[in-house]
Amino acid sequence: MAKLSATLNYKWQLTKKHDIDIRVFAGTFLAGSDDERGYYAFRASGYNGWHDYLFDANFVARNERNGFGFSQFTERDGAMNVWTPLGQSSYWLASVNVKSPKLFNLPFKLFADLSTCDTRALNEELFLWDLGLNIVVCKNIIDVYIPFLYSKDIKETHELNDVDFVHSIRFTFNIHKLAPKKFIQNNLF
C-alpha cells in the first residue's frame, strides 16, 4: 500500500494584525487493495483519536467513539470542522479550508471548508461543505468549531446518526505545541 498527499498552508495578510488562513489538501493512493486502504482512508473530517494510526497527536480520549472525547480532532486530510462519515475515501480526496481574521479583535473567526473525493465515499452531492464560527481559546493550542451551515448530505447524515447541534461542535487541543516560551509570547504579548 502506498499513499501520497500534500498540504499547502497559506496566510494572506490583509493588514499587520489581520490575515486569512488558507489550507489546501490533496491526496491519493498509489497502490494497495481496497481492504488494505480502508483503515488508512483519507478523511474529509480530519482525524479523531481512533483514526490517528501513526499516533501523531495527543487526544483527551483517543478511543472514544461518542461524547466529549470524540469531538476532538486534528486538522489532517480534509480537515473539515464538522464531523461526517462521508468523504472517507480509499482512493483520493481534495479540500480547501479557509479561516477569516479575528472579528472585532475578539477571539472569534469564521471558517469555511470544501471537500470532494471519489464518489463512492459520498452520497448525492459531489462536494461536502461547512461554514461556522471558530473560537480561539488559546492560539494554536485550543480552538472550538461551531458549524452553522453544512451541505445537505452532511445534514442528512447527522439526522440519521442522531447528531444534534451540541454534538456537532468540535475542538482541537494541540498539547504538543505547549512550549512555555512560545505560549507566553503568542498569547500574552
Side-chain angles (χ1 to χ4, degrees):
M1 187 201 61
K3 189 176 181 181
L4 176 70
S5 65
T7 304
L8 170 72
N9 290 302
Y10 183 74
K11 282 194 183 287
W12 181 20
Q13 192 167 22
L14 302 173
T15 66
K16 272 189 170 184
K17 291 186 177 184
H18 297 92
D19 44 28
I20 295 175
D21 296 321
I22 301 169
R23 179 185 180 275
V24 178
F25 172 85
T28 187
F29 279 88
L30 302 173
S33 70
D34 285 350
D35 290 339
E36 292 172 324
R37 297 176 185 179
Y39 182 72
Y40 305 101
F42 292 108
R43 303 184 193 286
S45 290
Y47 289 3
N48 291 78
W50 53 286
H51 290 136
D52 185 24
Y53 55 87
L54 293 176
F55 293 87
D56 287 333
N58 297 305
F59 289 88
V60 173
R62 177 171 291 279
N63 295 317
E64 197 167 313
R65 293 190 184 225
N66 55 34
F68 177 75
F70 183 75
S71 296
Q72 182 183 357
F73 76 108
T74 60
E75 294 176 313
R76 301 260 170 83
D77 293 358
M80 291 186 69
N81 295 303
V82 64
W83 173 83
T84 179
L86 301 172
Q88 296 190 36
S89 175
S90 55
Y91 291 92
W92 64 272
L93 177 83
S95 69
V96 176
N97 315 97
V98 180
K99 290 182 191 172
S100 76
K102 285 185 179 179
L103 304 173
F104 310 110
N105 288 327
L106 296 171
F108 303 126
K109 297 180 177 185
L110 296 177
F111 69 82
D113 305 308
L114 178 71
S115 288
T116 190
C117 63
D118 169 52
T119 56
R120 289 171 272 210
L122 299 171
N123 278 351
E124 296 174 9
E125 299 175 313
L126 291 176
F127 293 93
L128 301 172
W129 59 268
D130 65 7
L131 178 69
L133 182 68
N134 169 213
I135 302 171
V136 181
V137 177
C138 189
K139 185 178 178 185
N140 296 324
I141 309 292
I142 302 172
D143 282 281
V144 177
Y145 298 92
I146 304 170
F148 293 123
L149 298 170
Y150 31 81
S151 63
K152 183 179 78 119
D153 282 352
I154 293 175
K155 183 177 181 179
E156 289 173 357
T157 303
H158 281 198
E159 289 170 0
L160 289 170
N161 289 287
D162 294 324
V163 178
D164 59 10
F165 176 74
V166 171
H167 290 98
S168 70
I169 298 171
R170 298 178 84 196
F171 69 96
T172 57
F173 181 43
N174 299 309
I175 194 169
H176 59 281
K177 292 183 179 180
L178 264 175
K181 181 181 176 184
K182 287 186 180 181
F183 176 78
I184 292 169
Q185 288 173 340
N186 290 337
N187 291 290
L188 300 179
F189 301 104

